[in-house]
């Protein structure tokens, strides 16, 4: 799992840190096929010791001024930057802080960890697909990729990563925010970052294509730029979250500064605009069949005197009409709860925090809220086909996580898996099949938040298998600290987990490349399937399309990027979209990447967008909030 490269000039810290990160020599990953990492199932051990009341994280401090997200044009873009911030160590609890993002991505995948997406993930599912791609989740510092260099990116040492993550988390608080979002209808509700479950299998037809996916290759995959949305103006020296993007039958919808805008999918013309009282904090990556989604946002705009008003506002948005159907808040005593994450499952909107979880029906009816007497609390939820809670019990040094599949209407626990005591954070990669990621013993060492994946039977709560995924070999990542769904660069479908390998030397001089490999969720072993990026390209999963996998190929310095469909059975690749190779277009395309931006693909259309906006204090080339590409 990669780490983010040092931030470009004027850019907020990627992983936090009061000084420049110390570089270490790049590591060369193993051969494409990757090691056989199958392991026998390892159940979670024992119950937590006498649980104690959950503690509230310490209020973050104002981050340093942020700068534009777009990194300097790399001499050669060989794939995405390697690097993601390390999880932020928990702090002594405090009263409900005005939250920013915690996580991961810096809290990235959440901000407290790193700053996705994102997402998005950050995730991105596009219209007509099953969940997935990382959707912007809570904001994480923009993971703007830096120019890749021959030989791969440099990695930070573990100690510096922790410092970096802490600083990033602080910066996120001012912007409050989200990461990736999601998308379309029926089989395609997902968001822009991490891939979730898809179909049941990829059936290859006689022509080498597939019959199980909706995305078909056009007669000519050559694409052109459909439109570009200029980056919004930021008045103060601050970074503002603009996470959240979705795709419907008619519109491409993107969050701006304290607003959400619907654009024509082909022309980019504005269809509607929905003003908000404050910046978006997080956006659900899931969408209902009638194109409803949910967001968290601040009740007012940040000011120098009051840089954050907390992420207390829960809203249901109609993406077709461009309207806010309702806004709700939840209190504990007389205090409004500031939530860390939000998701959607069926007709239930669920939010989690260190104060506990709450849920509403799409009608606005409160289904459940935190109970003052609870010794455990719902830190967050994973949505989509099912609703899964990450419930925390015990004190920090004796923490135990309960992964609970729950009834989205009543909150009743259907099944539960207790993770080994001592694992502080976990991320929901997919709810059906149920796959959880965690950094066991802080052993990932690269800020990715992943050392192992746990395949769990959601009906019985029993562990099916545990998959070891060393950070130096695989490039997926999850935040897990506050944004439990903030996973990207991976996908789940066909009862398999699809992961990209880390970049390694290609066959050409100075070229880098990587592959996508598959793990069986029943056995934990690699299936032997492998999709090569091609020399100079780096490939990453976006989402599932029935039984097929949709992936994006970041281009070398002299070509345009591609979107491909990978057959679930043969793993044969079919090009769905080929972007222009001209330098001007490539510069815009490579200023965003699946690691640090939101990606949505559907029906010959690829949309890329940023998750942060900041004041540009230096003269730079024009920056964009979003760009759309299309074939035909």
């Amino acid at each position: 799992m990669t780490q983010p490269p040092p931030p470009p000039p004027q850019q907020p810290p990627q992983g936090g840190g009061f000084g420049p990160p110390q570089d270490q020599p790049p590591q060369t990953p193993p051969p494409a096929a990757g090691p056989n990492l199958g392991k026998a199932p390892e159940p979670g051990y024992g119950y937590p010791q006498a649980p104690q009341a959950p503690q509230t994280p310490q209020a973050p401090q104002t981050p340093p001024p942020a700068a534009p997200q777009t990194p300097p044009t790399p001499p050669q873009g060989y794939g995405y930057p390697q690097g993601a911030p390390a999880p932020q160590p928990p702090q002594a609890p405090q009263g409900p802080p005005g939250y920013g993002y915690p996580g991961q991505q810096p809290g990235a995948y959440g901000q407290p960890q790193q700053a996705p997406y994102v997402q998005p993930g950050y995730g991105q599912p596009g219209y007509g697909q099953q969940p997935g791609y990382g959707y912007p989740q809570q904001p994480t510092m923009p993971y703007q990729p830096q120019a890749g260099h021959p030989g791969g990116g440099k990695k930070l040492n573990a100690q510096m990563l922790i410092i970096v993550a802490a600083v990033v988390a602080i910066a996120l608080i001012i912007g409050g925010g989200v990461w990736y979002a999601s998308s379309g209808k029926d089989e395609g509700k997902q968001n822009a970052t991490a891939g979730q479950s898809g179909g049941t299998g990829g059936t290859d037809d006689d022509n080498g294509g597939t019959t199980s996916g909706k995305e078909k290759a056009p007669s000519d995959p050559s694409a052109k730029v459909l439109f570009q949305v200029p980056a919004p103006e930021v008045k103060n020296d601050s970074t503002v979250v603009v996470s959240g993007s979705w795709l419907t039958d008619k519109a491409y919808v993107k969050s701006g500064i304290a607003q959400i805008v619907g654009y024509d999918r082909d022309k980019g013309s504005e269809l509607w605009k929905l003003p908000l009282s404050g910046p978006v904090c997080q956006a659900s990556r899931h969408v209902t069949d009638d194109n409803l989604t949910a967001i968290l946002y601040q009740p007012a705009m940040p000011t120098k005197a009051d840089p954050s008003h907390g992420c207390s506002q829960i809203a249901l948005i109609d993406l077709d009409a461009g309207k806010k159907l309702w806004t709700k808040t939840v209190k504990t005593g007389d205090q409004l709860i500031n939530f860390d994450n939000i998701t959607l499952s069926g007709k239930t909107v669920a939010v989690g925090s260190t104060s506990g979880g709450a849920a509403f029906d799409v009608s606005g009816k409160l289904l459940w809220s935190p109970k003052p007497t609870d010794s455990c609390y719902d830190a967050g939820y994973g949505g989509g086909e099912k609703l899964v809670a990450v419930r925390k019990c015990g004190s920090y040094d004796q923490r135990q996580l309960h992964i609970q599949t729950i009834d989205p209407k009543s909150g009743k626990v259907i099944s539960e898996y207790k993770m080994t005591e001592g694992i502080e954070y976990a991320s929901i990669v997919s709810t059906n099949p149920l796959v959880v990621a965690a950094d066991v013993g802080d052993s990932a060492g690269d800020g990715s938040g992943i050392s192992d994946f746990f395949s769990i039977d959601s009906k019985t709560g029993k562990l099916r298998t545990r998959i070891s995924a060393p950070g130096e070999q695989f490039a997926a990542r999850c935040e897990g600290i506050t944004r439990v769904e903030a996973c990207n660069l991976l996908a789940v479908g066909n009862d398999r987990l699809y992961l990209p390998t880390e970049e390694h030397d290609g066959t050409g001089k100075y070229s880098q490349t990587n592959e996508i490999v598959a793990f069986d969720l029943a056995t934990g072993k690699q299936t032997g399937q492998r999709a090569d990026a091609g020399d100079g390209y780096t490939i990453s999963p976006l989402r599932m399309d029935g039984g097929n996998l949709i992936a994006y190929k970041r281009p070398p310095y002299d070509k345009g990027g591609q979107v491909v469909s990978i057959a679930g059975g043969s793993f044969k690749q079919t090009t769905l979209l080929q972007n222009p190779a001209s330098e001007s277009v490539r510069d815009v395309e490579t200023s965003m990447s699946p690691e640090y931006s939101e990606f949505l693909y559907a029906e010959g259309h690829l949309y890329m967008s940023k998750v942060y906006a900041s004041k540009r204090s230096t003269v730079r080339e024009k920056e964009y909030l979003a760009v759309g590409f299309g074939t035909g």
Side-chain angles (χ1 to χ4, degrees), residues 238-312:
S238 61
T239 295
V240 180
V241 176
V242 289
S243 280
S245 60
W246 305 264
L247 198 55
T248 71
D249 296 348
K250 299 178 180 179
Y252 167 64
V253 183
K254 174 63 187 166
S255 294
I257 296 181
Q259 65 179 13
I260 297 176
V261 182
Y263 301 93
D264 182 279
R265 287 174 45 142
D266 295 305
K267 303 174 183 177
S269 52
E270 197 174 290
L271 299 178
W272 52 262
K273 180 184 294 183
L274 174 62
L276 299 172
S277 58
V280 171
C281 296
Q282 279 209 52
S284 170
R285 60 192 229 170
H286 306 290
V287 177
T288 66
D289 291 340
D290 50 353
N291 288 328
L292 304 181
T293 194
I295 64 169
L296 279 173
Y297 68 99
Q298 295 189 43
M301 289 297 293
T303 62
K304 289 185 177 180
D306 196 350
S308 177
H309 298 280
C311 297
S312 59

Side-chain angles (χ1 to χ4, degrees), residues 565-586:
S565 176
I566 301 172
S570 68
F571 246 47
K572 176 181 175 61
Q573 298 183 38
T574 300
T575 301
L576 301 177
L577 177 145
Q578 169 68 63
N579 280 339
S582 66
E583 183 177 359
S584 59
V585 173
R586 194 173 61 251

Side-chain angles (χ1 to χ4, degrees), residues 280-575:
V280 171
C281 296
Q282 279 209 52
S284 170
R285 60 192 229 170
H286 306 290
V287 177
T288 66
D289 291 340
D290 50 353
N291 288 328
L292 304 181
T293 194
I295 64 169
L296 279 173
Y297 68 99
Q298 295 189 43
M301 289 297 293
T303 62
K304 289 185 177 180
D306 196 350
S308 177
H309 298 280
C311 297
S312 59
Q313 310 297 298
I314 307 163
L316 185 70
I317 307 297
D318 184 331
L319 298 174
D320 285 332
K323 295 181 179 180
K324 182 170 59 175
L325 301 184
W326 49 253
T327 296
K328 302 291 181 179
T329 59
V330 181
K331 291 185 176 181
T332 175
D334 295 330
Q335 294 288 325
L336 284 177
I337 296 177
N338 292 317
F339 291 99
D340 299 326
N341 53 74
I342 187 167
T343 195
L344 188 64
S345 180
K347 294 186 178 299
T348 297
V349 175
V351 288
S353 73
T354 53
S355 296
F360 294 85
D361 182 85
V362 291
S363 66
K365 175 186 176 182
L366 178 67
L367 300 177
W368 66 83
S369 60
K371 297 179 178 60
T373 57
D374 281 352
S375 57
C376 300
Y377 65 97
D378 289 355
Y381 301 92
E385 294 184 26
K386 295 187 177 182
L387 186 61
V388 176
V390 174
R391 189 168 179 80
K392 292 192 174 187
C393 296
S395 60
Y396 173 68
D397 57 346
Q398 296 180 328
R399 184 81 72 201
Q400 187 173 48
L401 303 184
H402 297 199
I403 308 301
Q404 301 177 331
T405 296
I406 60 181
D407 182 331
K409 295 181 179 179
S410 65
K412 178 181 178 181
V413 177
I414 297 172
S415 69
E416 178 179 74
Y417 171 71
K418 294 184 176 71
M419 300 192 77
T420 304
E421 187 176 293
I423 297 176
E424 181 67 17
Y425 306 107
S427 299
I428 305 299
V429 176
S430 168
T431 59
N432 188 32
L434 179 53
V435 180
V436 174
D439 185 357
V440 181
D442 297 324
S443 59
D446 63 350
S448 64
I450 306 171
S451 65
D452 297 82
F453 290 94
F454 297 79
S455 174
I456 302 168
D457 186 326
S458 61
K459 294 181 180 179
T460 65
K462 293 182 179 180
L463 181 69
R464 299 175 66 197
T465 191
R466 177 170 166 176
I467 299 170
S468 175
E472 70 273 13
Q473 296 176 15
F474 300 100
R477 74 169 180 241
C478 292
E479 189 233 288
I481 291 183
T482 56
R483 299 182 305 137
V484 300
E485 275 190 310
C487 291
N488 66 342
L489 304 184
L490 77 176
V492 172
N494 303 322
D495 206 33
R496 293 169 184 169
L497 169 66
Y498 299 99
L499 298 177
T501 64
E502 285 283 8
E503 294 180 34
H504 56 81
D505 291 341
T507 58
K509 188 175 182 180
Y510 303 125
S511 70
Q512 292 283 288
T513 189
N514 76 326
E515 304 77 31
I516 290 176
V517 296
F519 288 85
D520 188 307
L521 291 175
T523 66
K525 297 180 179 180
Q526 286 195 39
T527 64
Q529 296 168 307
R530 186 183 77 181
D532 296 321
D535 203 39
Y537 290 88
T538 46
I539 189 170
S540 57
L542 293 185
R543 63 174 174 83
M544 298 303 297
D545 173 29
N548 301 332
L549 175 65
I550 302 297
Y552 172 72
K553 290 185 177 183
R554 186 173 174 84
Y557 70 95
D558 58 349
K559 294 183 174 65
Q562 298 178 349
V563 173
V564 297
S565 176
I566 301 172
S570 68
F571 246 47
K572 176 181 175 61
Q573 298 183 38
T574 300
T575 301

Side-chain angles (χ1 to χ4, degrees), residues 37-362:
L37 302 172
K39 281 191 177 182
E42 300 178 25
Y45 310 119
Y47 296 79
Q49 302 186 15
Q52 302 178 12
Q55 302 179 340
T56 309
Q58 196 171 47
Q61 303 177 359
T62 305
Q69 297 190 40
T70 306
T73 303
Q76 295 181 332
Y78 289 116
Y80 341 119
Q82 301 197 23
Q88 171 186 16
Q91 303 180 359
Q94 238 191 36
Y99 146 51
Y101 324 134
Q104 157 190 344
Q105 252 187 297
Y109 236 359
Q111 241 32 326
Q113 232 181 242
Q114 317 180 103
Y117 164 29
V118 332
Q119 193 143 357
Y122 328 351
Q124 104 160 298
Y127 153 74
Q129 282 292 313
Q130 235 63 332
Y133 176 40
Y135 87 179
Q137 305 208 294
Q138 180 145 330
T140 61
M141 284 317 292
Y143 271 139
Q144 282 309 329
Q146 278 217 146
H149 1 181
K154 297 181 180 179
K155 296 195 174 186
L156 304 176
N157 61 38
Q159 183 176 10
M160 181 56 68
L161 283 171
I162 291 176
I163 296 175
V164 174
V167 172
V168 174
I170 293 175
L172 291 177
I173 293 183
I174 288 190
V178 223
W179 183 225
Y180 305 108
S182 62
S183 90
K185 270 209 182 289
D186 294 320
E187 303 173 323
K189 315 289 182 186
Q190 318 177 50
N191 84 12
T193 300
Q196 282 201 9
S197 57
T200 56
T203 304
D204 300 341
D205 62 27
D206 294 336
N207 298 318
T210 60
T211 56
S212 60
K214 290 188 174 182
E215 302 294 350
K216 305 302 179 184
S219 55
D220 181 2
S222 298
K224 63 181 179 180
V225 177
L226 299 176
F227 61 85
Q228 298 175 48
V229 179
E233 178 183 356
V234 177
K235 297 181 180 179
N236 300 319
D237 289 333
S238 61
T239 295
V240 180
V241 176
V242 289
S243 280
S245 60
W246 305 264
L247 198 55
T248 71
D249 296 348
K250 299 178 180 179
Y252 167 64
V253 183
K254 174 63 187 166
S255 294
I257 296 181
Q259 65 179 13
I260 297 176
V261 182
Y263 301 93
D264 182 279
R265 287 174 45 142
D266 295 305
K267 303 174 183 177
S269 52
E270 197 174 290
L271 299 178
W272 52 262
K273 180 184 294 183
L274 174 62
L276 299 172
S277 58
V280 171
C281 296
Q282 279 209 52
S284 170
R285 60 192 229 170
H286 306 290
V287 177
T288 66
D289 291 340
D290 50 353
N291 288 328
L292 304 181
T293 194
I295 64 169
L296 279 173
Y297 68 99
Q298 295 189 43
M301 289 297 293
T303 62
K304 289 185 177 180
D306 196 350
S308 177
H309 298 280
C311 297
S312 59
Q313 310 297 298
I314 307 163
L316 185 70
I317 307 297
D318 184 331
L319 298 174
D320 285 332
K323 295 181 179 180
K324 182 170 59 175
L325 301 184
W326 49 253
T327 296
K328 302 291 181 179
T329 59
V330 181
K331 291 185 176 181
T332 175
D334 295 330
Q335 294 288 325
L336 284 177
I337 296 177
N338 292 317
F339 291 99
D340 299 326
N341 53 74
I342 187 167
T343 195
L344 188 64
S345 180
K347 294 186 178 299
T348 297
V349 175
V351 288
S353 73
T354 53
S355 296
F360 294 85
D361 182 85
V362 291

